[in-house]
């Protein structure tokens, strides 16, 4: 069962703006509201204190004027009557010691205001007090003739004033302050939204551009540009993101091309076997041989897929496993169909073991051997030799060789020395062979000094 705090928190989350513009505007509005509340409280407190001080000054001034009419030089104390003192005596109490000499007609001796005035007169100093008698009444005392030891002042004058006008002024200022606060907060919110919206406009534009560029793998980038530092950093981050997206797309395209390239030969074998088998009735032995050839080609396709996909998925620098290198090369040479008048020889010690799985070794050498058979005139040789840091497999043919101008582009995907030479191929075999060899800690290189023909060298760790 939901609790009240939980419901309030959920309601707060629902009411919270979801856009950055709205949240920044809300933060600015909240901050401005807090500042305005503090300023309003401080301002109105100072105003009320100032108004009260003005009221006290006026009361003391009136009391001082009345005190000038009190004669304390004679005993008993007497009040000197002067013409036109009716206005001066309004709301005035005159005491001789504690004896009340005069009081306002509206405040008889037993009245609450009179009792307060009597208490102020008895203290013998200039203190003030407030009393509620319908309205708020402010009273201030003024001693006359000095203070007699143990007997209080010789005389005292107490004046009173209704604070309603001052309170009305203070309330008016409070209402005006609240109205001003409301206007300022409304302007703050509107201006903040406009300013934040204008500031975020480049961000929205950059986001839309990044979305479009990522879909089509565009070469366009944000670069430095004439932007604020924060947007420059955002642009750099988006550029890195676009580069990573483009690298992923390029990797996927390359993987698709490499798989298509590698699967072409076993698929062609399956198609050829099926076509040959369907041309005329075959014996049971020939049918079994056809089935075995198709199964071998299918197994080869599955191995190719697993090898290339595992390398692409893991991106490992070392591949565990070992392989009898001579057995793998002989099996590979027997599987590939050499053109007429072209022979394949495999030579090397039978005891050598490569430090890579047999499937990976086959996938490394197969593109090199296929390439050699494509261009060889009469012979292709696979030569295995041990090395101090591992082992080497040299794939040599007696073909025309690699043009010197194309040597630098040999291992670039999709590049061919002569696309119109009549041979099929997408220019992906050599790059794939080098990438797989490097994933196992080896290398594939071209021996440019070997003539005539072409010589590729595969370096692999020993098993």
């Amino acid at each position: 069962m939901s609790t009240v705090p939980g419901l309030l928190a959920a309601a707060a989350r629902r009411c919270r703006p979801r856009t950055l513009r709205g949240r920044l505007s809300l933060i600015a509005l909240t901050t401005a509201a807090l500042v305005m509340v503090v300023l309003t409280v401080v301002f109105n407190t100072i105003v009320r204190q100032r108004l009260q001080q003005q009221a006290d000054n006026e009361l003391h001034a009136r009391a001082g004027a009345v005190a000038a009419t009190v004669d304390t030089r004679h005993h008993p104390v007497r009040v000197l009557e002067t013409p036109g003192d009716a206005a001066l005596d309004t709301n005035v109490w005159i005491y001789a010691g504690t004896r009340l000499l005069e009081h306002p007609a509206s405040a008889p001796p037993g009245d609450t205001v009179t009792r307060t005035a009597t208490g102020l007169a008895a203290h013998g100093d200039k203190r003030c007090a407030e009393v509620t008698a319908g309205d708020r009444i402010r009273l201030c005392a003024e001693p006359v003739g000095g203070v007699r030891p143990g007997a209080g002042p010789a005389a005292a004058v107490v004046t009173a004033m209704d604070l309603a006008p001052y309170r009305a002024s203070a309330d008016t200022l409070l209402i005006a302050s609240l109205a001003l606060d409301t206007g300022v907060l409304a302007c703050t919110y509107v201006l903040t939204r406009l300013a934040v919206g204008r500031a975020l406009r480049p961000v929205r534009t950059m986001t839309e551009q990044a979305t479009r560029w990522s879909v089509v793998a565009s070469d366009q980038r944000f670069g430095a540009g004439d932007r604020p530092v924060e947007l420059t950093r955002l642009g750099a981050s988006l550029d890195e993101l676009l580069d990573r997206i483009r690298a992923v797309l390029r990797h996927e395209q390359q993987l698709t091309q490499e798989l298509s390239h590698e699967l072409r030969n076993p698929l062609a074998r399956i198609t050829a076997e099926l076509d040959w088998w369907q041309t005329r009735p075959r014996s049971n032995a020939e049918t079994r041989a056809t089935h075995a050839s198709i199964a071998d080609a299918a197994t080869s396709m599955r191995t190719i897929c697993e090898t290339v996909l595992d390398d692409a998925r893991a991106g490992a620098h070392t591949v565990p496993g070992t392989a009898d290198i001579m057995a793998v090369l002989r099996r590979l040479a027997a599987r590939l169909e050499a053109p007429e008048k072209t022979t394949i020889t495999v030579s090397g010690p039978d005891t050598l073991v490569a430090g890579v799985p047999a499937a990976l070794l086959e996938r490394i050498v197969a593109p090199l051997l296929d390439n050699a058979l494509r261009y060889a005139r009469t012979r292709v040789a696979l030569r295995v030799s041990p090395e101090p840091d591992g082992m080497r497999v040299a794939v040599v043919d007696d073909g025309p060789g690699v043009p010197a101008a194309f040597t630098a582009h040999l291992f670039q995907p999709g590049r061919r020395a002569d696309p119109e030479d009549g041979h099929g191929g997408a220019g992906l075999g050599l790059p794939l062979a080098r990438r797989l060899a490097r994933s196992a800690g080896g290398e594939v290189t071209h021996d440019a000094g070997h003539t005539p023909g072409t010589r590729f060298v595969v370096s692999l760790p020993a098993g």
Side-chain angles (χ1 to χ4, degrees):
M1 185 174 181
S2 301
T3 61
V4 173
L7 293 175
L8 292 177
R13 286 193 297 269
R14 287 195 297 269
C15 295
R16 184 177 60 183
R18 296 187 178 183
T19 63
L20 180 59
R21 179 183 182 183
R23 292 184 181 183
L24 291 177
S25 300
L26 182 60
I27 291 173
L29 180 64
T30 304
T31 304
L34 291 176
V35 173
M36 296 301 294
V37 167
V38 172
L39 292 178
T40 300
V41 171
V42 172
F43 171 75
N44 282 273
T45 300
I46 294 175
V47 166
R48 289 180 181 274
Q49 291 178 350
R50 182 62 179 169
L51 290 175
Q52 180 174 307
Q53 184 179 2
Q54 289 179 356
D56 291 348
N57 291 338
E58 183 177 347
L59 288 172
H60 283 298
R62 289 175 53 195
V66 174
T69 65
V70 179
D71 184 6
T72 59
R73 293 175 298 175
H74 300 88
H75 186 75
V77 175
R78 59 178 182 171
V79 180
L80 302 177
E81 298 297 334
T82 58
D85 61 356
L88 189 64
D89 292 339
T90 303
N91 294 331
V92 172
W93 290 259
I94 300 176
Y95 292 87
T98 59
R99 183 167 57 90
L100 181 61
L101 299 180
E102 291 186 7
H103 63 86
S106 60
D111 186 73
T112 303
V113 180
T114 300
R115 289 198 302 269
T116 304
T118 302
L120 290 175
H123 285 89
D125 55 12
K126 296 183 177 182
R127 65 178 58 194
C128 298
E130 286 188 14
V131 63
T132 301
D135 292 325
R136 297 294 295 178
I137 306 298
R138 182 77 172 173
L139 299 95
C140 289
E142 182 75 22
V144 181
V147 179
R148 295 172 297 178
V157 176
V158 179
T159 55
M161 176 186 294
D162 187 359
L163 294 180
Y166 294 92
R167 292 173 61 86
S169 298
D171 293 341
T172 301
L173 286 174
L174 177 61
I175 294 173
S177 300
L178 295 177
L180 178 62
D181 292 348
T182 303
V184 170
L185 292 178
C187 292
T188 300
Y189 183 76
V190 173
L191 293 177
T192 302
R193 284 189 64 88
L194 292 176
V196 173
R198 185 177 181 84
L200 293 179
R201 192 177 304 162
V203 178
R204 183 169 59 252
T205 302
M206 293 171 65
T207 304
E208 294 173 354
Q209 290 175 339
T211 302
R212 291 196 304 268
W213 295 345
S214 63
V215 172
V216 298
S218 173
D219 292 331
Q220 292 180 292
R221 295 295 182 267
F222 295 103
D226 184 17
R227 304 186 186 93
V229 176
E230 294 82 1
L231 294 185
T232 300
R233 293 176 180 172
L234 176 61
S237 300
L238 290 176
D239 286 343
E240 294 177 1
L241 178 61
L242 290 173
D243 290 337
R244 288 195 294 270
I245 292 175
R246 189 181 182 192
V248 170
L249 293 176
R250 185 169 58 249
H251 181 269
E252 291 180 352
Q253 293 173 352
Q254 181 179 353
L255 176 63
T256 303
Q257 294 171 349
E258 289 173 349
L259 281 174
S260 301
H261 178 272
E262 289 296 296
L263 295 176
R264 181 187 56 190
N265 287 339
L267 184 60
R269 287 175 54 198
I270 293 176
T271 303
E273 290 289 345
L274 289 175
D275 290 343
W276 178 79
W277 182 69
Q278 292 174 350
T279 54
R280 59 185 178 84
R282 299 295 174 181
S283 63
N284 291 336
E286 291 175 334
T287 299
R288 285 194 296 271
T290 298
H291 290 171
S293 179
I294 293 175
D296 182 67
T299 301
S300 176
M301 293 176 68
R302 183 180 62 188
T303 303
I304 290 171
C305 291
E306 292 176 352
T307 303
V308 177
L309 288 175
D310 287 344
D311 175 75
R313 186 182 303 114
H317 296 289
T318 58
V319 180
T322 59
D324 183 343
I325 187 169
M326 294 301 293
V328 171
L329 295 182
R330 290 190 181 104
R331 184 170 63 250
L332 180 61
R335 181 182 301 162
L336 294 179
E337 295 183 1
E340 189 178 356
K341 298 182 180 180
T342 301
T343 59
I344 304 175
T345 60
V346 181
S347 60
D350 288 332
T351 56
L352 288 180
V353 177
V356 297
L360 183 60
L361 175 62
E362 184 175 325
R363 296 274 53 79
I364 294 173
V365 179
L368 304 177
L369 182 56
D370 183 66
N371 192 68
L373 290 173
R374 185 181 299 128
Y375 294 102
R377 292 190 177 93
T378 59
R379 60 184 177 82
V380 173
L382 298 175
R383 300 168 185 168
V384 183
S385 60
E387 295 292 333
D389 56 348
M391 49 158 296
R392 298 177 113 187
V393 178
V395 182
V396 184
D397 66 72
D398 60 352
V402 179
F406 188 73
T407 302
H409 307 290
L410 263 176
F411 296 97
Q412 294 181 4
R415 299 295 296 272
R416 294 184 58 192
D418 184 10
E420 307 298 332
D421 58 4
H423 295 287
L428 298 172
L430 296 180
L432 175 62
R434 168 172 278 186
R435 182 162 67 84
L436 294 177
R438 288 179 174 177
S439 72
E443 183 60 277
V444 175
T445 58
H446 170 246
D447 185 0
H450 177 80
T451 56
T454 306
R455 183 173 186 263
F456 286 96
V457 179
V458 179
S459 302
L460 294 173

